[in-house]
Amino acid sequence: MEPKPISPVRGFSFSAVAAQVRKPGRLDVALAVADRPALAAGVFTRNLVRAAPVDIAQMRVGAGLVRAILANSGCANACTGQVGLQATLDSTEAIARALGVEAREVLPASTGVIGVPLPAERIAARAGELVQGLAPERFGDFAEAIRTTDRWPKLAASEIAGTGATLLGIAKGAGMIHPDLGPEPPHATMLAFLFTDLDVELDALRAALIGSTDATFNACSVDGDTSTNDCVIVLASGASGERAHPRALAEAMTRVSGELARSIVADGEGTEHVAELRVSGLSDDEAARSVARSVATSLLVKTALFGKDANWGRMLAAAGRAGVPFDPSRARITIGGIEIVRFGVAVSAEAERQAAAVLATPSFVVEIELGGGPGKFSYLMSDLGHAYVDINAGYRS
Amino acid sequence: MEPKPISPVRGFSFSAVAAQVRKPGRLDVALAVADRPALAAGVFTRNLVRAAPVDIAQMRVGAGLVRAILANSGCANACTGQVGLQATLDSTEAIARALGVEAREVLPASTGVIGVPLPAERIAARAGELVQGLAPERFGDFAEAIRTTDRWPKLAASEIAGTGATLLGIAKGAGMIHPDLGPEPPHATMLAFLFTDLDVELDALRAALIGSTDATFNACSVDGDTSTNDCVIVLASGASGERAHPRALAEAMTRVSGELARSIVADGEGTEHVAELRVSGLSDDEAARSVARSVATSLLVKTALFGKDANWGRMLAAAGRAGVPFDPSRARITIGGIEIVRFGVAVSAEAERQAAAVLATPSFVVEIELGGGPGKFSYLMSDLGHAYVDINAGYRS
């Protein structure tokens, strides 16, 4: 999970400071700035309970042109009413002034504890330092500053096929991970920021963001809890002067977002295993997604994976409550390619023993076939063990 | 949670044996017999993946007249195909022969591990002993024999208002508890059996069962996982000769089923706290039920309760992803009567400290008001801690 060597993206620079938003002595405010107004698109949590920065960022991204992203950890600024809203406005205003741009060109994003207003004055006090520190190669500090319970910073990059342009992704997320992101209002905390120097149309940028998010961030879960603060924002500087087929952009975004989503699930609070669920044989992809989500969020499946137990009965039981029609007697399940269920019943104790050996590894594929239909969906899930309980039973204390 | 002294119900007798269905040396097969054919109604798991005994019991209960219930722990006989189906038929056939009744008058019910066929021959070998042991006062042994991970047997009783008739309830359940029971096919393992000596019409018995189940068993959750084997069956012997207003029967069934549901949640695997969520202010009761279910099954809410943390932000976040419209700025939350959220924001740190003291107690009420609408719903939930992980990461080993 160590990030590969990543190069700067033309047109962007980054910075971070320790502003003591919640705890002293660690980077907790991050700034990304485009040299010129950049094309921007965003998807935001569909949770009805949304943090102030989500409302503001969604409103501002609608204009399609953005100069900066101001992100903080330590405080989600959610459920903070008018006070929280004003704090978000004040913090982006302070950064805008230091940059010499308009506040409406600055997108806010916050992650951390719910119910406490953002200490905007601490961010404002460091605005000058943040701007002075901007450098194209400081994306690593940006990634560091948005970590909460993350064990490692999350970065990924890809070339955009057929061009000299690149795409850089930075994300955070480990708990409250069950993103439900859309162009209409959404909530959890997964934050992801994508930066490209491609020269692209706004419509193509938006379409690529929605499609790639749906197949990646919206197809992963740590704990089934959708946050109040989730967002994915993409900025395109155009600084490479390169143009691409829309499909090449969509593929690069799906690759980078997929890598970030896998890193988030692997870093899920207390996670020891990442399973890629491949559900197939349903009437359509939506039905397959419903079954995958039901299995991926089942506590009994998650604790069985923690116990390295090939407990396929729990998988079938979770599939059966998804509200999707299928014939259980046609069910087939494999773990790491080892078939443990055929025609809805156990294959052999020996197969289960072999599967248990696969479950002892950090990452594996579980295939669940439920008939002959064309519907399929792939979903990333984690196991759930004692460390998750420890982290979340004591989060605020 | 100690059962109160309970009297026998006229017309029924009970028995139990240790048949070594899974583990030696403990009661694991239970029999309840009506002196004469008893009126019967049942609701069964709506999980698509259903155990053989659920299919058989649902088919047989349709006739409306039943002589016996044969229940076992140690083996759910789910996902066992034709072999499991035959095993259920064989076991009820053996009991029917020993009783001198028809197999179609015997309702099977099973709970335990999924994927292993029922060892019918072990039950058949003890059929004579089971029948010889029948006695009106042995309902406690019946309750004992259906325990799996239950820490205590679950019994409740009530008089039926205005009559000399009584209602006895026996249940089991601690994990895979998120019942979704209906007159049409359903799956988890909660088993509940109700016995009354009231003289009642079959339609009234069925209506009372469906209504009382919806307000009790279908309104509780330990882990969000609906089982393949859940069922609630009620038998009415008529032996008291007493008749009652349908409402009196429905009230008694709701009281007894509610007490059993609370006992199941209190005994939820690793549970230390039972919270009664009272959600109100939504457009209708169904909307309130959806919000209650979303909060009650949120891992972050459950781990916060385990940590005795009045983390209302997680409650609001879980409410916000229920897909139900409400205005977060009108949200009000109380814990044990202490108001911690008003108009969607925190009341005070002092209020949260007081609420945390309530959360240290075994049982409390959480009220979540989300507006001025008439819709409300009450739901029982548990916390989730290390013991749940221990039990379920090692269940089959």
Side-chain angles (χ1 to χ4, degrees), chain B residues 279-280 282 284-293 324 375-377:
Chain B
V279 174
S280 63
L282 282 307
D284 57 37
D285 291 357
E286 251 336 285
R289 183 199 282 260
S290 293
V291 169
R293 195 191 291 122
V324 166
K376 58 183 167 43
F377 200 80

Side-chain angles (χ1 to χ4, degrees), chain A residues 47-49 176 187 225 298-300 303 309-310 314 316-317 320-321 326 352 386 388 390 392-393 395-396, chain B residues 47-49 176 187 225 298-300 303 307 309-310 314 316-317 320-321 326 352 386 388 390 392 395-396:
Chain A
N47 196 312
L48 194 66
V49 177
M176 216 180 215
H187 165 207
D225 273 298
S298 158
L299 261 178
L300 287 169
T303 49
D309 178 6
R314 294 181 183 175
L316 275 185
R321 65 175 162 83
F326 65 87
E352 284 182 43
H386 292 292
Y388 184 89
D390 284 330
N392 287 294
Y395 183 55
R396 299 203 310 176
Chain B
N47 196 311
L48 194 67
V49 178
M176 216 180 217
H187 161 209
D225 272 300
S298 158
L299 262 177
L300 287 168
T303 48
D309 178 5
R314 294 182 182 175
L316 274 186
R321 65 176 162 83
F326 64 87
E352 284 182 43
H386 292 291
Y388 183 89
D390 284 330
N392 287 295
Y395 182 57
R396 300 204 309 177

Side-chain angles (χ1 to χ4, degrees), chain B:
Chain B
M1 288 298 162
E2 281 298 307
K4 299 164 205 148
I6 290 174
S7 306
V9 183
R10 282 165 287 189
F12 296 103
S13 54
F14 303 86
S15 179
V17 297
Q20 208 176 325
V21 173
R22 188 161 167 83
K23 291 179 184 161
R26 60 167 300 249
L27 294 179
D28 54 11
V29 178
L31 180 65
V33 173
D35 299 345
R36 278 167 246 286
L39 283 185
V43 285
F44 301 87
T45 182
R46 278 184 281 233
N47 196 311
L48 194 67
V49 178
R50 308 169 80 216
V54 173
D55 286 332
I56 300 293
Q58 182 157 26
M59 189 176 67
R60 291 179 177 173
V61 83
L65 282 176
V66 160
R67 284 302 292 273
I69 294 170
L70 173 68
N72 71 276
S73 56
C75 175
N77 202 20
C79 306
T80 50
Q82 200 60 41
V83 174
L85 187 66
Q86 192 61 50
T88 289
L89 293 172
D90 289 351
S91 63
T92 56
E93 175 69 38
I95 293 297
R97 213 162 350 180
L99 284 169
V101 305
E102 300 292 325
R104 61 179 156 73
E105 297 175 288
V106 181
L107 303 183
S110 297
T111 178
V113 70
I114 298 179
V116 179
L118 185 70
E121 68 292 350
R122 295 189 199 163
I123 297 174
R126 314 300 289 276
E129 187 187 337
L130 265 170
V131 171
Q132 276 160 30
L134 285 165
E137 65 280 3
R138 288 194 68 199
F139 44 81
D141 290 337
F142 185 107
E144 187 61 39
I146 61 174
R147 283 169 63 178
T148 54
T149 52
D150 301 63
R151 285 174 287 181
W152 55 79
K154 294 167 183 72
L155 295 117
S158 172
E159 297 192 344
I160 296 169
T163 75
T166 61
L167 177 72
L168 164 67
I170 307 174
K172 67 79 52 179
M176 216 180 217
I177 298 297
H178 186 84
D180 177 22
L181 296 152
E184 316 85 42
H187 161 209
T189 305
M190 198 248 353
L191 302 180
F193 306 104
L194 305 171
F195 303 92
T196 180
D197 51 8
L198 191 73
D199 182 10
V200 59
E201 303 292 331
L202 186 55
D203 283 352
L205 190 68
R206 285 177 173 155
L209 178 65
I210 291 168
S212 62
T213 298
D214 218 42
T216 57
F217 298 117
N218 280 353
C220 77
S221 182
V222 169
D223 50 18
D225 272 300
T226 304
S227 165
T228 42
N229 288 57
D230 288 337
C231 72
V232 184
I233 289 167
V234 57
L235 300 189
S237 70
S240 69
E242 298 269 7
R243 298 188 64 84
H245 191 284
R247 195 165 353 138
L249 175 62
E251 283 170 2
M253 285 176 65
T254 300
R255 198 154 49 238
V256 167
S257 296
E259 204 173 312
L260 293 172
R262 181 172 279 272
S263 185
I264 286 170
V265 174
D267 195 13
E269 291 168 349
T271 296
E272 297 185 1
H273 308 278
V274 177
E276 183 180 339
L277 285 182
R278 294 183 189 158
V279 174
S280 63
L282 282 307
S283 57
D284 57 37
D285 291 357
E286 251 336 285
R289 183 199 282 260
S290 293
V291 169
R293 195 191 291 122
S294 184
V295 176
T297 57
S298 158
L299 262 177
L300 287 168
V301 172
K302 292 169 84 72
T303 48
L305 293 186
F306 176 72
K308 306 170 191 67
D309 178 5
N311 199 321
W312 54 268
R314 294 182 182 175
M315 294 180 187
L316 274 186
R321 65 176 162 83
V324 166
F326 64 87
D327 177 356
S329 73
R330 294 189 63 180
R332 178 174 179 272
I333 299 180
T334 72
I335 293 179
I338 295 156
E339 187 180 50
I340 57 169
V341 173
R342 192 189 302 151
F343 298 121
V345 300
V347 168
S348 70
E350 175 52 27
E352 284 182 43
R353 268 191 297 276
Q354 289 176 17
V358 173
L359 296 182
T361 65
S363 170
F364 43 82
V365 172
V366 176
E367 296 172 295
I368 304 179
E369 285 180 33
L370 297 171
K376 58 183 167 43
F377 200 80
S378 181
Y379 206 99
L380 289 177
M381 71 174 289
S382 59
D383 63 326
L384 186 136
H386 292 291
Y388 183 89
V389 175
D390 284 330
I391 292 167
N392 287 295
Y395 182 57
R396 300 204 309 177
S397 46

Side-chain angles (χ1 to χ4, degrees), chain A residues 312 316 328-333 339-348 352, chain B residues 78-84 115-117:
Chain A
W312 55 268
L316 275 185
S329 74
R330 294 189 64 180
R332 178 173 178 271
I333 298 179
E339 187 179 48
I340 56 169
V341 173
R342 192 189 303 151
F343 297 122
V345 300
V347 167
S348 70
E352 284 182 43
Chain B
C79 306
T80 50
Q82 200 60 41
V83 174
V116 179

